Amino acid sequence: MRRPAIEAAGIGAAAAGDKALVRRALARDPDACRAIIKTHNQRLYRIARGVVRNDAEAEDIVQEAYMRAFASLGAFRGEASLSTWLSRIVINEALGRLRKRKRMVAMPEIPEARVIPFPLNPSDDPERTMAQRQILGLVERATDSLPDVYRSVFVARVIEGLSIVETADLLGVRPETVKTRLHRARALVRKALDDEIGPVLLDAFPFAGRRCERLTQAVMKRLGFEG
């Protein structure tokens, strides 16, 4: 079988899996709801945080986005993957927060963006060394310092690993625009990072262990599955 045929088969299987999971969730199957949440937590959190640059607000955005998603799950038709569908809801929620923030009483620009360090619990990732934590801190600060228009593209493409087409679809821009913005974003990040940091980029903005479980439990409770 040729590669395109294999890829098409894989996409078809994934779409069928998404639809089956959605049908179970619509039937109020708690295992299906939990699977949807735990599968997409990290990607959605990274995307939200890439927009708002704040840990706590990103978690809140993801939680609200899940509530919106589950409330309109019947509208999911499978034209896009469930991951992309959820990501769009998160993007809209995050951008809405930014617009609301700008409409609030005019205040001086948010004082220098303060990076809230991500808790790296030894029980969650015992293999991480202090040096790795320092590098991840640099990655997070460099990403946070990017202008909004570049940061969203950078997080989607480099941190989350979406393709150019997926990123363009998610952000509602042309693939050429994604390429241009990504090029500029990388140039800006390179000013703050050494070349050897590249290999650990995919470990930036972790969302696992207790934090993932906490958000999952919160959403499940709001859906009425747990008291």
PDB file of all heavy atoms in Angstrom, residues 1-2 7 34 38 56 93 98 103 121 124 140 154-155 173 187 194 198:
ATOM      1  N   MET A   1       0.851  -1.200   0.000  1.00  0.00           N
ATOM      2  CA  MET A   1       0.000   0.000   0.000  1.00  0.00           C
ATOM      3  C   MET A   1       0.884   1.246   0.000  1.00  0.00           C
ATOM      4  O   MET A   1       1.871   1.321   0.700  1.00  0.00           O
ATOM      5  CB  MET A   1      -0.876   0.013   1.265  1.00  0.00           C
ATOM      6  CG  MET A   1      -1.888   1.151   1.263  1.00  0.00           C
ATOM      7  SD  MET A   1      -2.854   1.180   2.810  1.00  0.00           S
ATOM      8  CE  MET A   1      -3.791  -0.336   2.638  1.00  0.00           C
ATOM      9  N   ARG A   2       0.569   2.214  -0.822  1.00  0.00           N
ATOM     10  CA  ARG A   2       1.358   3.432  -0.895  1.00  0.00           C
ATOM     11  C   ARG A   2       1.154   4.279   0.346  1.00  0.00           C
ATOM     12  O   ARG A   2       0.120   4.212   1.009  1.00  0.00           O
ATOM     13  CB  ARG A   2       0.991   4.229  -2.146  1.00  0.00           C
ATOM     14  CG  ARG A   2       1.367   3.505  -3.438  1.00  0.00           C
ATOM     15  CD  ARG A   2       1.001   4.352  -4.632  1.00  0.00           C
ATOM     16  NE  ARG A   2       1.363   3.695  -5.862  1.00  0.00           N
ATOM     17  CZ  ARG A   2       1.104   4.200  -7.071  1.00  0.00           C
ATOM     18  NH1 ARG A   2       0.461   5.350  -7.160  1.00  0.00           N
ATOM     19  NH2 ARG A   2       1.468   3.549  -8.149  1.00  0.00           N
ATOM     20  N   GLU A   7      -1.722   6.793   5.037  1.00  0.00           N
ATOM     21  CA  GLU A   7      -2.052   7.977   5.830  1.00  0.00           C
ATOM     22  C   GLU A   7      -3.563   8.214   5.820  1.00  0.00           C
ATOM     23  O   GLU A   7      -4.161   8.557   6.841  1.00  0.00           O
ATOM     24  CB  GLU A   7      -1.316   9.198   5.277  1.00  0.00           C
ATOM     25  CG  GLU A   7       0.192   9.131   5.522  1.00  0.00           C
ATOM     26  CD  GLU A   7       0.919  10.302   4.916  1.00  0.00           C
ATOM     27  OE1 GLU A   7       0.288  11.053   4.149  1.00  0.00           O
ATOM     28  OE2 GLU A   7       2.119  10.470   5.193  1.00  0.00           O
ATOM     29  N   ARG A  34     -14.153  11.225  30.259  1.00  0.00           N
ATOM     30  CA  ARG A  34     -12.831  11.293  30.880  1.00  0.00           C
ATOM     31  C   ARG A  34     -11.735  11.086  29.843  1.00  0.00           C
ATOM     32  O   ARG A  34     -10.699  11.757  29.865  1.00  0.00           O
ATOM     33  CB  ARG A  34     -12.717  10.251  31.984  1.00  0.00           C
ATOM     34  CG  ARG A  34     -11.386  10.291  32.742  1.00  0.00           C
ATOM     35  CD  ARG A  34     -11.349   9.241  33.839  1.00  0.00           C
ATOM     36  NE  ARG A  34     -12.297   9.557  34.892  1.00  0.00           N
ATOM     37  CZ  ARG A  34     -12.046  10.409  35.881  1.00  0.00           C
ATOM     38  NH1 ARG A  34     -10.876  11.018  35.935  1.00  0.00           N
ATOM     39  NH2 ARG A  34     -12.942  10.640  36.803  1.00  0.00           N
ATOM     40  N   LYS A  38      -8.719  13.751  29.209  1.00  0.00           N
ATOM     41  CA  LYS A  38      -7.326  13.409  29.490  1.00  0.00           C
ATOM     42  C   LYS A  38      -6.490  13.341  28.220  1.00  0.00           C
ATOM     43  O   LYS A  38      -5.305  13.654  28.238  1.00  0.00           O
ATOM     44  CB  LYS A  38      -7.252  12.088  30.255  1.00  0.00           C
ATOM     45  CG  LYS A  38      -7.953  12.136  31.601  1.00  0.00           C
ATOM     46  CD  LYS A  38      -7.537  11.019  32.531  1.00  0.00           C
ATOM     47  CE  LYS A  38      -6.229  11.344  33.199  1.00  0.00           C
ATOM     48  NZ  LYS A  38      -5.931  10.447  34.331  1.00  0.00           N
ATOM     49  N   ALA A  56      -2.712  29.930  35.641  1.00  0.00           N
ATOM     50  CA  ALA A  56      -4.035  29.770  36.239  1.00  0.00           C
ATOM     51  C   ALA A  56      -5.137  30.118  35.243  1.00  0.00           C
ATOM     52  O   ALA A  56      -6.151  29.414  35.144  1.00  0.00           O
ATOM     53  CB  ALA A  56      -4.152  30.637  37.489  1.00  0.00           C
ATOM     54  N   GLU A  93     -12.044  30.973  23.164  1.00  0.00           N
ATOM     55  CA  GLU A  93     -12.200  31.344  24.569  1.00  0.00           C
ATOM     56  C   GLU A  93     -11.027  32.208  25.028  1.00  0.00           C
ATOM     57  O   GLU A  93     -11.208  33.226  25.704  1.00  0.00           O
ATOM     58  CB  GLU A  93     -12.282  30.076  25.430  1.00  0.00           C
ATOM     59  CG  GLU A  93     -12.421  30.328  26.921  1.00  0.00           C
ATOM     60  CD  GLU A  93     -13.780  30.867  27.328  1.00  0.00           C
ATOM     61  OE1 GLU A  93     -14.750  30.706  26.571  1.00  0.00           O
ATOM     62  OE2 GLU A  93     -13.869  31.480  28.410  1.00  0.00           O
ATOM     63  N   LEU A  98      -8.694  37.834  26.098  1.00  0.00           N
ATOM     64  CA  LEU A  98      -7.788  38.951  25.791  1.00  0.00           C
ATOM     65  C   LEU A  98      -8.576  40.195  25.408  1.00  0.00           C
ATOM     66  O   LEU A  98      -8.251  41.304  25.826  1.00  0.00           O
ATOM     67  CB  LEU A  98      -6.839  38.566  24.656  1.00  0.00           C
ATOM     68  CG  LEU A  98      -5.716  37.579  24.978  1.00  0.00           C
ATOM     69  CD1 LEU A  98      -4.808  37.428  23.773  1.00  0.00           C
ATOM     70  CD2 LEU A  98      -4.907  38.028  26.186  1.00  0.00           C
ATOM     71  N   ARG A 103     -10.791  45.576  27.037  1.00  0.00           N
ATOM     72  CA  ARG A 103     -11.940  46.473  27.182  1.00  0.00           C
ATOM     73  C   ARG A 103     -12.096  46.971  28.618  1.00  0.00           C
ATOM     74  O   ARG A 103     -12.854  47.904  28.861  1.00  0.00           O
ATOM     75  CB  ARG A 103     -13.231  45.737  26.774  1.00  0.00           C
ATOM     76  CG  ARG A 103     -13.393  45.558  25.279  1.00  0.00           C
ATOM     77  CD  ARG A 103     -14.826  45.210  24.941  1.00  0.00           C
ATOM     78  NE  ARG A 103     -15.286  44.014  25.622  1.00  0.00           N
ATOM     79  CZ  ARG A 103     -15.254  42.799  25.097  1.00  0.00           C
ATOM     80  NH1 ARG A 103     -14.758  42.630  23.883  1.00  0.00           N
ATOM     81  NH2 ARG A 103     -15.711  41.766  25.778  1.00  0.00           N
ATOM     82  N   ASN A 121       6.923  18.694  39.611  1.00  0.00           N
ATOM     83  CA  ASN A 121       6.907  17.827  40.771  1.00  0.00           C
ATOM     84  C   ASN A 121       7.823  16.629  40.556  1.00  0.00           C
ATOM     85  O   ASN A 121       7.704  15.933  39.558  1.00  0.00           O
ATOM     86  CB  ASN A 121       5.464  17.349  41.012  1.00  0.00           C
ATOM     87  CG  ASN A 121       5.340  16.660  42.346  1.00  0.00           C
ATOM     88  OD1 ASN A 121       5.990  15.656  42.584  1.00  0.00           O
ATOM     89  ND2 ASN A 121       4.496  17.209  43.203  1.00  0.00           N
ATOM     90  N   ASP A 124       6.272  13.557  39.458  1.00  0.00           N
ATOM     91  CA  ASP A 124       5.738  13.547  38.099  1.00  0.00           C
ATOM     92  C   ASP A 124       6.832  13.275  37.075  1.00  0.00           C
ATOM     93  O   ASP A 124       6.625  12.606  36.086  1.00  0.00           O
ATOM     94  CB  ASP A 124       5.083  14.890  37.758  1.00  0.00           C
ATOM     95  CG  ASP A 124       3.770  15.080  38.502  1.00  0.00           C
ATOM     96  OD1 ASP A 124       3.205  14.074  38.957  1.00  0.00           O
ATOM     97  OD2 ASP A 124       3.337  16.235  38.627  1.00  0.00           O
ATOM     98  N   GLU A 140      10.195  29.040  28.282  1.00  0.00           N
ATOM     99  CA  GLU A 140       8.903  29.642  28.618  1.00  0.00           C
ATOM    100  C   GLU A 140       8.976  31.163  28.582  1.00  0.00           C
ATOM    101  O   GLU A 140       8.078  31.828  28.051  1.00  0.00           O
ATOM    102  CB  GLU A 140       8.450  29.146  29.993  1.00  0.00           C
ATOM    103  CG  GLU A 140       8.057  27.669  29.964  1.00  0.00           C
ATOM    104  CD  GLU A 140       7.927  27.051  31.347  1.00  0.00           C
ATOM    105  OE1 GLU A 140       8.181  27.762  32.341  1.00  0.00           O
ATOM    106  OE2 GLU A 140       7.586  25.856  31.431  1.00  0.00           O
ATOM    107  N   PHE A 154       3.870  30.129  17.109  1.00  0.00           N
ATOM    108  CA  PHE A 154       5.029  29.424  17.654  1.00  0.00           C
ATOM    109  C   PHE A 154       4.606  28.271  18.559  1.00  0.00           C
ATOM    110  O   PHE A 154       5.134  27.165  18.477  1.00  0.00           O
ATOM    111  CB  PHE A 154       5.910  30.413  18.427  1.00  0.00           C
ATOM    112  CG  PHE A 154       7.207  29.814  18.915  1.00  0.00           C
ATOM    113  CD1 PHE A 154       8.279  29.668  18.045  1.00  0.00           C
ATOM    114  CD2 PHE A 154       7.356  29.396  20.223  1.00  0.00           C
ATOM    115  CE1 PHE A 154       9.477  29.116  18.484  1.00  0.00           C
ATOM    116  CE2 PHE A 154       8.542  28.843  20.673  1.00  0.00           C
ATOM    117  CZ  PHE A 154       9.609  28.705  19.795  1.00  0.00           C
ATOM    118  N   VAL A 155       3.639  28.536  19.430  1.00  0.00           N
ATOM    119  CA  VAL A 155       3.165  27.489  20.344  1.00  0.00           C
ATOM    120  C   VAL A 155       2.537  26.347  19.550  1.00  0.00           C
ATOM    121  O   VAL A 155       2.806  25.167  19.818  1.00  0.00           O
ATOM    122  CB  VAL A 155       2.148  28.058  21.356  1.00  0.00           C
ATOM    123  CG1 VAL A 155       1.460  26.928  22.117  1.00  0.00           C
ATOM    124  CG2 VAL A 155       2.852  28.981  22.344  1.00  0.00           C
ATOM    125  N   VAL A 173      -5.896  31.528   9.396  1.00  0.00           N
ATOM    126  CA  VAL A 173      -5.036  32.318   8.506  1.00  0.00           C
ATOM    127  C   VAL A 173      -4.538  31.418   7.380  1.00  0.00           C
ATOM    128  O   VAL A 173      -4.756  30.208   7.391  1.00  0.00           O
ATOM    129  CB  VAL A 173      -3.828  32.908   9.266  1.00  0.00           C
ATOM    130  CG1 VAL A 173      -4.300  33.852  10.355  1.00  0.00           C
ATOM    131  CG2 VAL A 173      -2.958  31.799   9.868  1.00  0.00           C
ATOM    132  N   ALA A 187      13.119  33.600  14.862  1.00  0.00           N
ATOM    133  CA  ALA A 187      14.231  34.552  14.901  1.00  0.00           C
ATOM    134  C   ALA A 187      14.256  35.289  16.244  1.00  0.00           C
ATOM    135  O   ALA A 187      15.317  35.495  16.832  1.00  0.00           O
ATOM    136  CB  ALA A 187      14.098  35.550  13.748  1.00  0.00           C
ATOM    137  N   ASP A 194      20.107  29.550  23.393  1.00  0.00           N
ATOM    138  CA  ASP A 194      21.274  28.961  22.737  1.00  0.00           C
ATOM    139  C   ASP A 194      20.811  27.812  21.856  1.00  0.00           C
ATOM    140  O   ASP A 194      19.747  27.219  22.083  1.00  0.00           O
ATOM    141  CB  ASP A 194      22.271  28.417  23.766  1.00  0.00           C
ATOM    142  CG  ASP A 194      22.930  29.535  24.548  1.00  0.00           C
ATOM    143  OD1 ASP A 194      23.166  30.604  23.959  1.00  0.00           O
ATOM    144  OD2 ASP A 194      23.191  29.336  25.743  1.00  0.00           O
ATOM    145  N   GLY A 198      17.166  23.722  21.638  1.00  0.00           N
ATOM    146  CA  GLY A 198      16.170  23.203  20.711  1.00  0.00           C
ATOM    147  C   GLY A 198      15.592  21.840  21.034  1.00  0.00           C
ATOM    148  O   GLY A 198      14.369  21.661  21.036  1.00  0.00           O
TER     149      GLY A 198
END
